[in-house]
Amino acid sequence: MSEKFKKLEKLLGYEFKDKSLLKAALSHKSARSGVNNERLEFLGDAVLDLVVGEYLYHKFSSKKGEHNEGDLSKIRAGLVNERSFAKIASSLGLGEHLIMSISERKSGGDKKPSLLSDALEAIFGAIYLESGLECAKSVFVPLVESEFKNIDKDVLKDYKTRLQEITQERLGLLPKYELIGSSGPDHKKSFEIALFLGDKEIARSVGASKKEAEQKCAMIAVEALKKGSK
Amino acid sequence: MSEKFKKLEKLLGYEFKDKSLLKAALSHKSARSGVNNERLEFLGDAVLDLVVGEYLYHKFSSKKGEHNEGDLSKIRAGLVNERSFAKIASSLGLGEHLIMSISERKSGGDKKPSLLSDALEAIFGAIYLESGLECAKSVFVPLVESEFKNIDKDVLKDYKTRLQEITQERLGLLPKYELIGSSGPDHKKSFEIALFLGDKEIARSVGASKKEAEQKCAMIAVEALKKGSK
């Protein structure tokens, strides 16, 4: 068992002082082993929200006036979710370490995104408990950075792809991006882009490049479409 | 200005190293003063989520098997919300310190729960930035404890009251609580309570006292009714 833990600890870049805490973090409630990872997950969820929130706060300064609270929230929502966490958990091979009932394992529990994501959160709840926030930060940030090389671009790119999927499926239309204009000196140019569906303009945004402005338009549109479909 | 800040700092029990950070935290976007408190609020929101989450994690141990992740989430939801934060903000007299446009103030902005709650979060984003999590914790926990003397009981009591309001309004019925049984030795007795609406049992729960079990039943019912009405 401890050999297996060593492999995980090496990938994490963190050695647990209290191995029973790691074991608890890996225990799905189906194992019925007395402790499970639900309380640690409760804590870890808040730990990672703050770790990612602070990371984005510093990474995307407000200097250019580009990243207001809404942008930060959206980029965070693209990172702090079951899918992203399950991806990070998979890169750590968490599935093989999960402790669960035989029937849960037989039904593919060790590959379920929800179980992987929960266990990842629980692990960071555990790291926080025994080593504090700074340590949790120093362990988690490299994992995020290696999974999501260009956080804002990846998340924003995702929005362009998602918008295209949505509009094609729902309306049979592809989004069209049109340059409205550019302004500012050459070294600090900004571009204004409008997004059309058919003849209708549905979003407009400014960015440091055409691409960025397009991606921000897509983000606005996806968020608006989400709300509309609720 | 700095005299006014002193009063606030005294009530907070925290002296800002960087007064411009406090000023930013108090600045509503309507002031258009260059900086506003939205980014600090984004950060502070996550800070307080973790501070409260960890506080509850330790306060309600899993020893008795009573406070699982679901209970903790519900108690936190009763604390981390606009109404509770606005209450704490009011106890600090935050309203009079808010920096906003004349028209926002005229329309009662300094009394709006959303603005008060946002500014409180921003203040804790600012404290976190200059002094770290432990400090934010040591400043916030006394404020919560003095506003909510018996956190679990207050939050749970709130559920019984809320359930009664809901069932009376929607169904013209009062909830009835019935003791199903008790078990365990005298010093560690537990009580099982069922909650009825008319003839229908709608929740059942176990607690260290009848009252606690009743309150937990009410919590389950309120959450279920919320989901049902979505």
Side-chain angles (χ1 to χ4, degrees), chain A residues 111-207:
Chain A
K111 287 172 198 70
K112 279 185 194 159
S114 61
L115 268 67
L116 290 168
S117 166
D118 288 353
L120 185 78
E121 290 180 331
I123 281 179
F124 280 88
I127 294 175
Y128 173 75
L129 273 186
E130 65 170 30
S131 300
L133 185 70
E134 289 308 311
C135 181
K137 227 186 273 182
S138 70
V139 178
F140 193 69
V141 168
L143 294 175
V144 171
E145 289 191 327
S146 93
E147 275 309 309
F148 303 90
K149 297 268 187 281
N150 295 295
I151 288 183
D152 56 338
K153 293 201 184 66
D154 285 354
V155 171
L156 288 172
K157 196 170 77 189
D158 203 40
Y159 275 108
K160 264 186 95 168
T161 314
R162 274 161 66 193
L163 178 63
Q164 186 166 326
E165 289 167 1
I166 296 171
T167 59
Q168 254 183 322
E169 192 192 305
R170 288 203 210 160
L171 311 165
L173 282 173
L174 286 180
K176 265 184 299 185
Y177 299 90
E178 208 167 276
L179 179 65
I180 301 299
S182 61
S183 60
D186 268 358
H187 67 285
K188 217 187 147 186
K189 245 187 165 52
S190 70
F191 299 86
E192 187 172 11
I193 293 280
L195 164 61
F196 290 86
L197 279 179
D199 293 332
K200 202 177 158 200
E201 180 181 324
I202 58 165
R204 194 176 276 221
S205 200
V206 175

Side-chain angles (χ1 to χ4, degrees), chain A residues 38-40 42-43 46-47 50 53-54 57-58 60-62 67 69 72-73 76 128-129 133 137, chain B residues 38-40 42-43 46-47 49-50 53-54 57-58 60-62 67 69 72-73 76 128-129 133 137:
Chain A
E38 290 188 314
R39 282 170 52 92
L40 286 171
F42 167 80
L43 194 59
V47 169
L50 178 55
E54 184 182 6
Y57 181 91
H58 290 301
F60 302 113
S61 79
S62 59
H67 294 100
E69 178 272 339
L72 293 177
S73 292
R76 181 169 61 187
Y128 173 75
L129 273 186
L133 185 70
K137 227 186 273 182
Chain B
E38 290 187 315
R39 281 169 53 92
L40 286 170
F42 167 80
L43 193 59
V47 169
D49 228 32
L50 178 55
E54 185 183 8
Y57 181 91
H58 290 300
F60 302 113
S61 80
S62 60
H67 294 100
E69 179 272 338
L72 293 178
S73 292
R76 181 170 60 186
Y128 173 74
L129 273 186
L133 185 70
K137 227 185 272 180

Side-chain angles (χ1 to χ4, degrees), chain B residues 11-12 48 51-52 54-60 75 78-80 84-85 87-89 91-92 120 124 136-155:
Chain B
L11 285 168
L12 260 179
L48 295 185
V51 165
V52 173
E54 185 183 8
Y55 174 76
L56 298 176
Y57 181 91
H58 290 300
K59 189 174 174 76
F60 302 113
I75 298 175
L79 276 175
V80 178
S84 300
F85 281 3
K87 204 174 159 192
I88 294 173
S91 76
L92 297 168
L120 185 78
F124 279 88
K137 227 185 272 180
S138 70
V139 178
F140 194 68
V141 168
L143 293 176
V144 170
E145 289 191 327
S146 92
E147 274 311 308
F148 304 90
K149 297 268 187 280
N150 295 296
I151 287 184
D152 57 336
K153 294 202 184 64
D154 285 355
V155 172

